[in-house]
Amino acid sequence: MELRQLVYFEAVARLGGFSRAAEALHVAQPAISAQVRRLERELGTTLFERTTRRVAITQAGQLLLVRARAALAEIDGARSDLDQLAAVVRGRLRLGVTPVLGSLDLPALLAGFHRRYPEATLAVRSGLVTELLAELDAGRVDALLAPIRPDLSSHYQARRLVEEHLTLITVPGQLPDAARAVSLGDVRDQPFVCLPRGSGLHDILTTAAAAAGFSAHIPFQAPGPGKHPQLRRGRTRRRTTGRISRSKRRPAHRRPHTQTAPPHPPIGLITDRRAPATPVLHAWLQHLERTSPDRG
């Protein structure tokens, strides 16, 4: 049994005749008739009842038709998958990322994608979300991994990947009762380290401090929590509001809050609805959904 025979057989059954099938497939009618007769001989049964006026499918033909259509659908799906794979292999993805991505491990994500599509090209640009959105609008990046702000314009499409939460990082011994849960107001007189002005985290910190009745003193603006040695020792992979200590001998310490922590937008993939999605971008989204922590 050959694929060509199944194609011809299905066309005759669907269109109700050999002439119509030949016209639709741009094949000479005798060739289609010969292949269908050959298929009938191989199967040892009649698939069509032929008269001078019409062609009617037999019961055996009906049974074969169900299987033939399933087989042809699988082959079409395989061709589509292979075409998409070829497009991904030839593709180039320009990705914008914010300094902190919560529980998303960007190096591991990139490495996993490279293992799956070793010939695809990945270019990564880092910046604040406002800067990266401008890059997305200008077509200089294809997608962002960034916090999904509630005021995000409707011409962006955002797909949530992981939820995000804020953690206050201090140094042990700096507060009077280390066992007691603290609030942001307990460190109102301390200097903070935070992302630069214009970042979402900076806005969250200043807004939360104002709600607590004080103005946050932020003399240290780092591109990311891991850039500061005290925060590196804390080994936090969440966005943080951290207090700086001059001591270099004691590790940073995450502290719980007595009040609800300020809300933080979830981390996700942001694309521009106005730009067509490329096969490599679609493959990247599938990779994120398979591997992001909140997707199991």
Side-chain angles (χ1 to χ4, degrees):
M1 186 182 301
E2 299 177 1
L3 175 62
R4 177 176 54 176
Q5 294 171 339
L6 292 181
V7 172
Y8 290 175
F9 162 73
E10 192 280 333
V12 173
R14 174 167 43 88
L15 299 172
F18 288 87
S19 297
R20 293 174 183 172
E23 183 179 354
L25 297 176
H26 305 288
V27 178
Q29 179 179 335
I32 291 184
S33 298
Q35 289 297 329
V36 172
R37 283 196 300 268
R38 181 180 172 188
L39 179 61
E40 289 176 322
R41 287 195 301 270
E42 290 179 0
L43 295 176
T45 187
T46 301
L47 301 175
F48 296 105
E49 294 290 347
R50 302 163 178 86
T51 69
T52 56
R53 294 186 177 182
R54 69 187 184 96
V55 174
I57 191 168
T58 65
Q59 185 177 5
Q62 291 284 7
L63 292 175
L64 178 62
L65 183 60
V66 173
R67 300 284 187 176
R69 284 177 171 168
L72 293 174
E74 286 294 325
I75 292 172
D76 287 342
R79 285 176 176 151
S80 177
D81 290 343
L82 292 173
D83 288 342
Q84 182 179 15
L85 176 61
V88 172
V89 167
R90 295 190 300 267
R92 179 171 183 262
L93 179 64
R94 301 164 301 171
L95 190 64
V97 300
T98 51
V100 183
L101 296 174
S103 56
L104 286 180
D105 187 343
L106 181 61
L109 288 172
L110 294 174
F113 189 79
H114 177 69
R115 284 192 298 270
R116 191 175 183 88
Y117 305 105
E119 297 183 36
T121 302
L122 289 171
V124 179
R125 180 186 302 231
S126 181
L128 301 180
V129 65
T130 50
E131 302 167 349
L132 294 176
L133 286 172
E135 295 288 295
L136 184 60
D137 289 338
R140 289 189 285 269
V141 296
D142 303 305
L144 308 183
L145 281 177
I148 302 174
R149 294 182 174 182
D151 59 349
L152 197 64
S153 173
S154 61
H155 69 259
Y156 298 118
Q157 184 171 3
R159 300 168 176 86
R160 290 179 176 227
L161 296 174
V162 293
E163 297 300 321
E164 185 60 310
H165 308 280
L166 292 176
T167 301
L168 178 67
I169 296 182
T170 67
V171 175
Q174 295 299 306
L175 293 173
D177 184 355
R180 180 179 64 83
V182 298
S183 67
L184 196 60
D186 290 321
V187 291
R188 62 186 300 156
D189 297 326
Q190 304 295 336
F192 286 84
V193 61
C194 189
L195 293 182
R197 187 183 301 274
S199 66
L201 185 57
H202 192 284
D203 293 343
I204 290 173
L205 173 58
T206 54
T207 300
F214 71 98
S215 177
H217 177 45
I218 313 174
F220 304 99
Q221 297 186 18
K227 299 299 181 181
H228 191 275
Q230 294 295 339
L231 295 179
R232 280 205 304 271
R233 294 191 190 104
R235 293 184 180 178
T236 177
R237 296 171 66 181
R238 299 286 183 179
R239 283 192 178 269
T240 58
T241 57
R243 189 182 69 76
I244 294 297
S245 168
R246 295 181 181 277
S247 170
K248 296 184 179 180
R249 290 176 293 183
R250 287 179 294 181
H253 180 62
R254 285 187 287 182
R255 299 300 302 268
H257 290 64
T258 55
Q259 301 170 348
T260 302
H264 190 285
I267 303 296
L269 185 76
I270 302 173
T271 55
D272 192 336
R273 296 180 188 272
R274 302 166 296 182
T278 63
V280 68
L281 178 57
H282 182 67
W284 174 252
L285 175 60
Q286 290 182 321
H287 176 65
L288 291 177
E289 291 180 336
R290 282 193 304 267
T291 57
S292 61
D294 287 4
R295 300 297 175 100

